[in-house]
Each structure stands twice: as structure tokens, then as C-alpha cells.
Amino acid sequence: QVQLVESGGGLVQAGGSLRLSCAASGRTFSRYAMGWFRQAPGKEREFVAAISWNVFSQSVADPVKGRFAISRDGAKNTVYLQMNSLKPEDTAVYYCAAGMDWPRPHDYWGQGTQVTVSS
């Protein structure tokens, strides 16, 4: 069992940056791929980025490629999403996920953290 807790969301102006964190509990954290998804009001949840259990593989969605980066720290059981050059269309609730499927891990979910980008 893995429990995920996101943090780092907030309000930022367009062009700014935020770093989201996702702290995982459970001894099996290192076995799972980790990912970030987001859901904007009135829209379906969409994939943002994922990183494999051994950090050798990463997948990043086209709308955020070149602006967002995913990383993980095994010693801290934490995965990060560095978001740069934020745009108003990045406004959404961001969810952390863990799982065995690649590149869309989805067995476990966090509660989400709100990111709002003002124009």
C-alpha cells in the first residue's frame, strides 16, 4: 500500500514557477513508477509527466514539454514536479500517482493540490 500527499500548489503569475512535491509512505515506493496528472474545471483528468522506478525513463506530455520536469528522491520517498514558464491554461488540480503501469501509473492517488496561474 502506498499513500501519497501532495504539496506546493498555490497562486502564481503567468511566467512564474512552482515546484510540487509528493511525499509517499510505504516500503514499496521504490518499486513504483510515479506520475503527475491534472484536472482543470470542466475537463477530464490528463497526464502531465511520469518517471520510472529506476529514474532511467521519463515521459512528459506535449503541452508541458520543455517547461515542466519530473524527478524523484528515493531517500526521501518524494517525487517532484518543477513547473516553469507557467501559463493560465496550466491552472488545475494536480494529482500525484503511483503504480506499475508505464508510462501512466495509476494504482494509487494523492488528494491533489491546486495550482492557479493568473494572467
Side-chain angles (χ1 to χ4, degrees):
Q1 191 78 359
V2 175
Q3 293 183 327
L4 306 172
V5 179
E6 303 97 331
S7 62
L11 174 64
V12 64
Q13 289 187 335
S17 298
L18 281 176
R19 188 177 79 158
L20 304 183
S21 299
C22 173
S25 62
R27 291 179 293 177
T28 57
F29 169 77
S30 62
R31 302 180 185 178
Y32 291 103
M34 301 293 296
W36 289 95
F37 294 74
R38 68 185 182 185
Q39 188 166 19
K43 296 187 177 181
E44 293 186 353
R45 189 172 299 188
E46 66 174 0
F47 170 76
V48 175
I51 187 167
S52 63
W53 67 273
N54 59 6
V55 308
F56 290 163
S57 297
Q58 296 184 20
S59 178
V60 181
D62 286 342
V64 304
K65 197 166 291 184
R67 300 188 297 121
F68 291 13
I70 188 170
S71 61
R72 67 190 292 170
D73 185 334
K76 296 182 179 180
N77 278 8
T78 301
V79 63
Y80 304 97
L81 184 68
Q82 179 66 44
M83 306 186 295
N84 300 324
S85 301
L86 283 161
K87 304 175 181 180
E89 50 264 44
D90 295 319
T91 295
V93 177
Y94 283 71
Y95 296 91
C96 177
M100 301 300 291
D101 295 292
W102 180 258
R104 302 292 185 267
H106 60 273
D107 296 323
Y108 303 99
W109 293 89
Q111 82 289 350
T113 186
Q114 176 70 46
V115 171
T116 303
V117 184
S118 63
S119 58

